[in-house]
Structures are given as C-alpha cells and as structure tokens.
Amino acid sequence: MTDALSVADLMHKPAVVVHEGITLADAAKVLDANKVGAAAVLDGGEHLVGMVSERDLLRSVGHCIDPGSTGINEVMTRDPVTLRTTDTVAAALDIFRDRRFRHLPVMEGHRVAGILSTRHLVRVAHIEEVQPAGSAPPELAPRGLEGVAVAETAVGDVRGEEGFFHYRGYNAVELASRCSFEQVWHLLVEGSLPDDQELAGFTARAVAARRLPEGIADLLRQISTLPNYTPLSALRSAVSVTASALGSAPTLDISAEQVRADSLRLAALAPVLLMRLHRHHQGLAPVDPHPDLGYAAAYLQMLTGERPAPRTARALEQYLILTMDHGFNSSTFTSRVITSTGSDIGSALTGAIGALAGPLHGGAPSRALAMLDAIGSPDRAEEYLRAEIGAGQRLMGFGHRVYKTDDPRSTLLREVATEVGGDQVEFARHIEATALRVLAELKPGRRLYTNVEFYAGVVMNSVGVPRDMFTPTFACSRTVGWTAAIAEQAANNRLIRPSALYVGPAPPRPLPHGYGAALRAA
Ligand code: ACO
C-alpha cells in the first residue's frame, strides 16, 4: 500500500510557515493556533531555510532561554532534508526510520507544499505491520462516518441542501401539518398511510397497548426515588425493565408480525412510563391515559391530570410528528446495530435512548429557552447577541450540520408557536429576527439559520411540558422512528460488524521481563 500512496496524499497542506527572525513565543503561537507540531521557516524571498518544531521550543525553555526575546533562528534546524510531493510513502518511511526525523517539509519545485510528520506515517506503518502478509488493509471510513451510506432504508431521508426531510417519501412537514400522530405512526411502522378502517384498528391496538405489564407500576415508583433522578435516564431504565416484563424475545427468533406487535406495545407505553415517573417524582398520583384520547392529547392529560384544549394538544402533536424520525441519525443507527445482533426490541430501544441522551444528539431544546430568559427583554437582544458571538459563543437554536438553509422543522414550529400564542412567542420572533441579522453580519457566508431547537422549546413551554421533559418527549416520539428502523433491520438482517485500523504498538509485544511472576508462583 505504501508503494501506491504518495507523500502528497498524507502530508498536512498547506504547510504552516513562519518567517525567520520571529521570536520563539510567536512561533509557539502559530503552532498552537494551527494545531501542528512543526512549521517551515522561510526567508524574505519565501525560500525554505529551516524547520522549527515544538521540540525545539520546549528544549529552549529547558535551557532557560527567554522565548519572548529569542529568535527562532537560534533553535531551528537549518537546511532541512526535504521530500517531494511525488515521493512514495515507502521512500519517506525509510528516511524517517533512518534519520529519526519527526517532521519534514515537502517541496513542489521551490515551494513548500506541505509538511509530513511521523504521525501521518505511523498509521500506515502499523497497518503494514499488523496486516497478515498478502491481505489488503481495510479502508478507513471518514471520521464519524460522515457521508458514508451503511444501509439501505425505505423509512425516510434528510436532504440538507434542499431543507427537506420525508417519511417514506412524504414531506414530513406536510404530514405534520395535515395528519394525526397515529396516521404518521402507521405510515412509519406499517409502511403506508392508513385508510379509515386501518386507522381505527391501529388506534384501538395502540390504546390497548398502553396498559402496564404486571409488576411495573411499583418499579416505576422506585425508579422515581433513585438518587440523581433525571427523567431521561429514568425512562431508559423503565423501558428496559418493561421490555423484560413483557418477555421481549430476540428479533432473530420472532416473526415480522411479532416484531411489529412488540414495537407497538413499547412505543405506546413510552409516554405512560415517562409520565408515571414524572408524577411520582413530583409526589403526585399517576394518571392513566384516557382511552378516548389520542397519543398527543393523552400525553398532556397524563402529565397534568386534565384533558388538554384541542389546540394545545394539536400543537404538541405537530412537534411529535416532526421529531418521529430524521434520516440515519446516531440513535437510529444504534437501534439497528443492536437489532443486527438478533437482540430484542427492548435492548434496541434502551440503547437508542442512551445514544439520544448525548448532548451532541438529543441536544438540549431547553438551552434556546434559557437564552431567551438570559436576554430578558427585547431591548437587550442586540447587545446580548453581539456580545455572545464576540465572545466566541454559539447562539442556541441556530445553525445545523445538515441543513444549510431553513430547517423545515423550525419553519413549521414557528407557525405552530404563533398559533398557540403567548407573550413568549412574540419575544422569540424578535430574538430570532435579531439573531439572524447579527449572524449574517458577524458570521457572513456560514449559512446559519434557525434550527428545530429554537421553536421546539417555545412550543413545548407553551403547551405546559416542563423543561426537563423536553428531551424525554423527543425520545417518546423518536421511538416510532426507531421501531420502524428495527423492523427494517430485522426483516433483512446482516450482523453489523465493521473493523477498525489498528494503530497501537506493533504486535506481538513481549510482556515486560518478570511480569506476572507473582501469579505464577502462587
Ligand atoms: N452561533 C454562532 N456561530 C455559529 C453557530 C451559532 N449557533 N453555529 C455555527 N456557527 C459558526 C461557527 O462558529 C463557525 O464559525 P467560524 O467559521 O468563524 O469558526 C461556523 O459557523 C461553522 O460552524 P461549525 O461548527 O462548522 O458548524 P457545525 O455544522 O459543526 O455546527 C451546530 C452545527 C453544532 C448545530 C452549531 O450550529 C451549533 O453549535 N449551534 C448551536 C447549538 C444548537 O442550536 N444545537 C441544536 C442543533 S439542532 C439538533 O441537533 C437537533
């Protein structure tokens, strides 16, 4: 492999450069800012005259040289050995091994095109050492698997550039605008939009599936009194024990029909478990879901003990539909990995909630609301937002990794929030407009728009969901997406078992002399 790769494939480019004559302290700042271990030193005519590395700087500190007044010319390596961009990695490896360099400049004609370090080579070297002779090393996927398709799915997809996402081909925003939770739930797990008869049958099964299995009510009370209680970790534990109580069998051993039945049972139970935990924790008696109420209305009725106004229930329902699924996100992938082992649905859902709990995924919809609180009044918005960006902070509820245009969820949730009304909505709209203007001015070209988090918090707050229940609420609706993914994986399963590139010390390593002697003697 090293024969096929050239130095240009691996080197850090463009090269980080400094000019001769600058101080050690200034050179250290450049290395630090660029997160590199060495820089090429150029003269006034932009010709290479040396290399300066972190090691040179550290050594000089050890010799009590003042970095603020000493020039790098005192410590740099003059006229360094150079590589050419066309050199093979194998040839570069030989030079690094023989001469014990750590960084070498890579030349393209008289220009320094990049810098190659031992760190760049170490991976390739180890791969060669650890690979059995004659076997091709595995390809390394991009970090975070970004842009890598690891499965086929008919559940849904996100198109970031277009600001569009869909469930089984239907625009998710249109579904949230026009359909009930149960209709979209049926679409995701059964594969089609239900007709009236199918919907009635599905709704009846979903309502029946809300009853608690034997023994769980007491356990929920106990979980709610555990130290360091948080609603999301309590829900994760409750889903796990409930699945055990239901006898959730390995997906490998059950029919597709049974997978769907187990999925429906757990997805219907998730809000029941969450609301019981919440009310116990608040010292309140739990409230059973009223069989006449749909998923969203029952959600609020179990929370407050009262039937919600239709407009309030509908606002929450729209949020819940918008968050049921969102492409091949981390928790969905987690649920599929667990299912691929043939494990049961309870395990897959428990793992998925664990993945969602991470701040990089489930997010913290309450943070956007906290920002509104911190701003306090409209007249403080501009000053606050400018100061935040000036201090290098992110404005909560803006920007998205995938959407580089309006997040379609935020567009609908803005409308929903406006319909629900309230003082906070007007204030939020003012903050949003100010933030977008300030971001466009201070972060030009970054394509930062309002994301789902901004209005999700406002909507949930308006309908009475407490802040610490925002992410658990998201977990309940996303359970529908997870179960659709689980069924898809189980129906066409292959164990998900990727490999990794070993980059540790070259094996086999001898144990240190005498290590384990005491155990042998015993
Ligand atoms: N406020 C100010 N500047 C921002 C923001 C923001 N909200 N988001 C990104 N930027 C800036 C960055 O500072 C960076 O600027 P720079 O080029 O001067 O360094 C540039 O935009 C690109 O930023 P990245 O970090 O590359 O953007 P990335 O796609 O990785 O970030 C993320 C996406 C994490 C959502 C980011 O926009 C962010 O932190 N937003 C605030 C937190 C938030 O709202 N999270 C919820 C997201 S929605 C969800 O996950 C369900």
Side-chain angles (χ1 to χ4, degrees):
M1 182 184 59
T2 46
D3 287 339
L5 282 177
S6 79
V7 164
D9 293 323
L10 296 186
M11 69 186 187
H12 181 95
K13 58 193 166 205
V16 175
V17 298
V18 293
H19 286 87
E20 59 177 344
I22 70 165
T23 65
L24 301 181
D26 285 342
K29 277 187 209 147
V30 173
L31 297 186
D32 204 37
N34 289 284
K35 297 190 176 68
V36 291
V41 183
L42 307 183
D43 65 13
E46 302 295 302
H47 293 115
L48 177 72
V49 290
M51 284 290 284
V52 64
S53 73
E54 262 170 355
R55 270 210 306 177
D56 299 329
L57 301 175
L58 278 174
R59 243 195 326 256
S60 59
V61 172
H63 290 125
C64 299
I65 293 172
D66 174 19
S69 58
T70 311
I72 50 170
N73 301 46
E74 310 261 332
V75 303
M76 72 181 187
T77 305
R78 290 188 177 279
D79 302 324
V81 173
T82 58
L83 297 166
R84 282 164 302 163
T85 46
T86 48
D87 284 340
T88 63
V89 169
L93 255 176
D94 286 343
I95 297 177
F96 275 95
R97 275 189 190 131
D98 294 349
R99 310 282 300 271
R100 305 209 162 266
F101 293 124
R102 292 196 171 197
H103 302 91
L104 287 178
V106 183
M107 309 299 291
E108 197 166 49
H110 293 297
R111 191 179 68 87
V112 188
I115 292 178
L116 190 71
S117 85
T118 42
R119 253 183 290 165
H120 297 125
L121 291 178
V122 97
R123 204 175 67 210
V124 180
H126 276 306
I127 294 160
E128 294 218 319
E129 278 167 319
V130 297
Q131 286 306 307
S135 74
E139 287 268 317
L140 184 63
R143 270 159 63 81
L145 297 181
E146 210 169 332
V148 177
V150 296
E152 289 179 333
T153 181
V155 175
D157 190 23
V158 180
R159 301 193 176 167
E161 286 294 332
E162 296 163 42
F164 171 77
F165 74 117
H166 65 87
Y167 301 157
R168 298 199 183 275
Y170 297 104
N171 183 337
V173 172
E174 203 179 339
L175 290 170
S177 304
R178 293 175 43 187
C179 303
S180 70
F181 187 92
E182 282 73 11
Q183 284 171 317
V184 185
W185 187 358
H186 186 284
L187 169 70
L188 280 170
V189 300
E190 301 289 335
S192 62
L193 283 170
D195 60 25
D196 290 348
Q197 203 184 345
E198 286 167 328
L199 181 63
F202 182 78
T203 304
R205 282 191 285 129
V207 167
R210 293 173 184 166
R211 81 185 175 285
L212 284 179
E214 201 70 28
I216 290 300
D218 282 345
L219 274 175
L220 295 176
R221 189 173 297 114
Q222 288 174 35
I223 293 172
S224 74
T225 61
L226 288 173
N228 303 315
Y229 170 92
T230 68
L232 190 63
S233 57
L235 175 66
R236 188 194 62 225
S237 309
V239 166
S240 180
V241 292
T242 303
S244 305
L246 289 170
S248 182
T251 49
L252 201 63
D253 300 338
I254 57 178
S255 64
E257 201 182 349
Q258 190 62 45
V259 168
R260 285 206 300 278
D262 288 1
S263 295
L264 183 76
R265 188 87 164 91
L266 283 165
L269 271 169
V272 180
L273 302 176
L274 177 66
M275 292 312 171
R276 279 191 162 246
L277 288 163
H278 172 73
R279 289 187 66 95
H280 282 313
H281 189 69
Q282 301 287 316
L284 301 169
V287 174
D288 286 328
H290 197 288
D292 287 352
L293 297 179
Y295 186 103
Y299 196 93
L300 292 172
Q301 175 246 335
M302 286 188 283
L303 173 70
T304 63
E306 285 166 19
R307 272 176 181 258
R311 198 174 69 156
T312 309
R314 179 63 188 149
L316 180 69
E317 183 168 51
Q318 290 183 291
Y319 165 79
L320 294 171
I321 295 171
L322 283 175
T323 49
M324 274 182 181
D325 197 52
H326 202 236
F328 215 83
N329 56 83
S330 307
S331 56
T332 298
F333 186 33
T334 304
S335 73
R336 288 187 68 137
V337 170
I338 296 174
T339 305
S340 86
T341 69
S343 189
D344 61 286
I345 294 163
S347 297
L349 292 178
T350 306
I353 296 174
L356 184 78
L360 298 185
H361 182 15
S366 56
R367 283 196 212 163
L369 226 45
M371 188 178 82
L372 296 189
D373 288 349
I375 295 173
S377 61
D379 55 309
R380 289 198 56 225
E382 180 110 15
E383 185 196 346
Y384 178 96
L385 298 169
R386 282 182 183 278
E388 283 290 290
I389 298 174
Q393 298 294 325
R394 309 262 169 131
L395 304 186
M396 290 300 133
F398 296 88
H400 197 274
R401 173 60 63 81
V402 180
Y403 293 121
K404 297 301 172 195
T405 175
D406 280 326
D407 178 337
R409 298 168 297 180
S410 78
T411 313
L412 180 61
L413 286 175
R414 185 191 296 116
E415 278 173 33
V416 173
T418 308
E419 273 165 35
V420 182
D423 295 348
Q424 195 179 37
V425 180
E426 213 170 295
F427 180 49
R429 292 195 74 136
H430 174 75
I431 302 301
E432 181 193 24
T434 313
L436 291 175
R437 181 164 45 75
V438 169
L439 284 169
E441 184 191 323
L442 300 182
K443 292 276 175 187
R446 310 305 200 288
R447 302 204 283 168
L448 299 169
Y449 296 88
T450 320
N451 66 43
V452 63
E453 227 177 60
F454 191 76
Y455 282 106
V458 177
V459 169
M460 281 198 274
N461 199 41
S462 314
V463 302
V465 175
R467 285 188 197 194
D468 66 349
M469 298 282 272
F470 287 1
T471 304
T473 301
F474 179 14
C476 287
S477 57
R478 186 54 61 88
T479 300
V480 171
W482 292 329
T483 54
I486 289 167
E488 191 172 60
Q489 182 70 36
N492 184 16
N493 190 45
R494 180 158 171 85
L495 177 68
I496 298 175
R497 203 300 187 190
S499 53
L501 284 180
Y502 175 71
V503 295
R509 300 171 80 190
L511 281 174
H513 184 67
Y515 191 83
L519 197 61
R520 276 204 306 278

